[in-house]
C-alpha cells in the first residue's frame, strides 16, 4: 500500500488547478439511469470513487466510455448510455466500498419501477442511516421493503405518483435521491427543508438540461413537476469547493500564496469567511480564488452546519490550520457524530487538542513536528497532509487510499506549488 512522505517547511506558492467536484460527480453519474439517451459529463475528477461508481453503473447495463485520459491531464470526460436497464440490483460488494451507491435508488426506481440496493451500513465518521432516503421515496408513493441487508423500493403500476416531504434533518444524499426519483413521477412533488449545497444545485441544473422541471433551485423548498421522459445532455461538473478549501488551508499553514484555479468564491462562502477570520487574505480573481497568509494566524470559533453554513467536510482541514494559530480555537461538529478521528493523529504531531463530545478545543502551538500517522477517512487524511506541510521534519502518512478516493493526484498538485512530498510504496 502506498504512503506519502512529506518534509514540512516549504512555503507553497503558485497555482493549483481545482478538479471537478467528487460529491457532485457522484450524483450526476446516476442521472444516466434516467434516460435512454447518452449523458456526457465533462470535468469528472479522476478518483477511485468515480471508477467505483462507473463499475456500479456497468452492473445495471449502462455503457460507459471515458475520453481525455492522458496521464498528464487532470479530469476526464465520460459518456454514459442506458438504452436498456439490465439489472436494478446494487449488490453488497459494490455498495460496501462506496456509500454513495445509495444514490442509484431514486433513479433506478424512477426508470424501472423497482430498485434493490444493499444497505450501506455505518462508516468511520458515523452511523450514517438512510432512513430519510426511504421516507421521502415512500412519501412519493414507493413501497419500501427491508430484507437480508437490502432495501427494495417498488413503485405502483404506472410509476411513482409523487408527493410531499418535509425533511426533519437536512440531508444531501436524501435530497439527491428524492430529486432523481421525482423528475419522472406522474405528478408534482414538493420538498421542504431540502439540502441546498452547491452540489444539489449542480444536480438540478443537469436534470433541467435533461428536460426536468424544477422550481426553487438553490433554496430549501423545491417543487418538481414530473415529466414523461428525460433526454441526453452534455454537462460540466462544478469545481470541487472542498478540494479548493483544503488547498487553501495547505497554503495558509505554510504562510504561502496560492491561486486556486477554477475555484468559485460564491460556492465557498463559509470557508472563505473562516479563513479571513483566521487572518488569511482571500481575493477573488478572474480565474479562481487567491489565498495568501501574511503574519500570524488568529484563533477562531467554528461550527459546522448544512450549506450555507460551514461544511463538515472542511472541519478537519481547518482544525489543522488552527493547531498553529496564536491562541485557543473552538470547533464544533454538528453533522456527524464521530468526525474527530484526526485529533489523536494531529496530537502525535504535537498539536494540543482536547475533545469533549462534539466540541474540540485547539490550543495553538508554535511548531508541529513530523511523525508517522495513519489516515482514517478522506478529510481526516487531508488534515494530516496539511499539518505535515508545516511540521518540522518528515511525516509519513499511511493508508492513503482514503485520499485517493477524493483528491485527484494530491501529491502532484502540491508539488506544483513547491511542497516536498512524494508517494512511495509501503513495505
Ligand atoms: N442522516 C440521517 N438519515 C438519512 C440521511 C442522513 O439521519 O437518511 C443524517 C446523517 O447521519 C448526518 C446528516 O443527516 O448526520 C447529514 O448527512 P447527509 O445525508 O447530508 O450526508 P451524505 O449525503 O451521506 C454527503 C457527502 C459527505 C458530506 C455530507 C454533508 C457525498 C457523496 N457525501 O454525505 O461527504 O460530509 O453530505 O455535507 O456527497 C466527504 O466528501 O468526505 C463526505 C463525507
Amino acid at each position: 500500500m502506498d504512503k506519502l512522505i512529506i518534509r514540512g517547511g516549504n512555503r507553497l506558492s503558485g497555482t493549483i488547478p481545482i478538479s471537478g467536484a467528487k460529491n457532485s460527480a457522484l450524483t450526476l453519474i446516476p442521472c444516466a439511469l434516467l434516460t435512454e439517451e447518452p449523458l456526457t459529463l465533462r470535468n469528472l475528477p479522476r478518483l477511485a470513487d468515480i471508477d467505483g461508481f462507473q463499475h456500479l453503473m456497468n452492473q445495471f447495463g449502462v455503457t460507459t466510455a471515458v475520453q481525455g485520459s492522458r496521464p498528464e491531464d487532470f479530469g476526464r470526460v465520460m459518456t454514459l448510455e442506458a438504452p436498456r436497464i439490465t439489472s436494478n440490483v446494487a449488490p453488497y460488494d459494490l455498495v460496501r466500498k462506496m456509500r454513495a451507491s445509495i444514490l442509484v435508488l431514486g433513479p433506478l426506481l424512477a426508470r424501472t419501477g423497482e430498485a434493490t440496493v444493499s444497505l450501506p451500513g455505518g462508516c468511520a465518521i458515523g452511523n450514517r442511516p438512510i432512513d430519510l432516503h426511504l421516507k421521502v421515496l415512500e412519501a412519493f408513493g414507493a413501497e419500501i421493503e427491508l430484507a437480508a441487508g437490502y432495501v427494495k423500493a417498488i413503485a405502483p403500476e404506472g410509476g411513482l405518483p409523487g408527493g410531499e416531504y418535509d425533511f426533519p434533518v437536512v440531508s444531501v444524499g436524501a435530497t439527491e435521491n428524492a430529486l432523481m426519483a421525482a423528475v419522472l413521477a406522474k405528478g408534482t412533488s414538493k420538498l421542504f427543508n431540502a439540502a441546498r449545497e452547491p452540489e444539489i444545485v449542480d444536480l438540478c441544473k443537469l436534470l433541467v438540461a435533461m428536460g426536468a422541471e424544477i422550481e426553487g433551485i438553490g433554496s430549501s423548498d423545491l417543487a418538481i413537476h414530473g415529466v414523461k421522459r428525460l433526454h441526453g445532455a452534455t454537462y460540466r461538473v462544478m469545481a470541487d469547493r472542498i478540494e479548493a478549501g483544503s488547498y487553501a488551508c495547505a497554503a495558509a499553514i505554510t504562510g504561502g500564496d496560492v491561486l486556486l484555479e477554477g475555484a468559485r468564491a460564491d460556492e465557498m462562502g463559509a470557508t472563505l469567511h473562516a479563513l479571513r477570520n483566521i487572518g488569511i487574505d482571500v481575493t477573488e480573481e478572474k480565474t479562481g480564488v487567491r489565498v495568501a497568509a501574511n503574519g500570524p494566524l488568529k484563533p477562531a470559533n467554528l461550527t459546522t452546519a448544512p450549506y450555507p453554513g460551514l461544511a463538515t467536510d472542511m472541519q478537519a482541514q481547518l482544525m489543522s490550520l488552527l493547531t498553529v494559530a496564536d491562541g485557543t480555537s473552538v470547533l464544533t461538529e454538528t453533522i456527524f457524530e464521530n468526525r474527530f478521528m484526526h485529533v489523536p493523529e494531529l496530537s502525535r504531531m504535537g498539536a494540543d487538542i482536547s475533545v469533549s463530545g462534539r466540541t474540540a478545543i485547539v490550543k495553538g502551538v508554535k511548531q508541529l513536528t513530523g511523525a508517522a500517522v495513519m489516515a482514517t477517512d478522506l478529510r481526516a487524511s487531508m488534515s494530516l497532509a496539511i499539518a505535515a506541510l508545516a511540521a518540522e521534519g518528515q511525516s509519513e502518512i499511511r493508508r492513503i487510499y482514503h485520499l485517493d478516493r477524493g483528491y485527484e493526484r494530491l501529491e502532484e498538485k502540491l508539488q506544483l506549488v513547491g511542497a516536498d512530498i512524494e508517494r512511495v510504496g509501503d513495505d
Side-chain angles (χ1 to χ4, degrees), residues 22-23 26 99-100 103 125 128-133 169-174 176 197 312-313 335-337 339 378-379:
K22 169 187 78 94
N23 287 349
L26 291 176
R99 291 191 51 84
L103 295 176
I125 61 175
R128 301 185 81 178
I130 58 155
D131 55 318
L132 302 174
H133 297 244
V169 173
V170 177
S171 165
V172 172
E176 291 167 347
E197 268 65 6
T312 171
D313 289 347
I335 308 293
F336 291 110
E337 66 274 17
R339 217 174 190 182
L378 174 58
R379 308 303 169 188

Side-chain angles (χ1 to χ4, degrees), residues 33 119 134 179 248 253 342 379 391:
L33 293 165
L119 292 167
L134 307 185
L179 278 161
I253 203 169
H342 40 288
R379 308 303 169 188

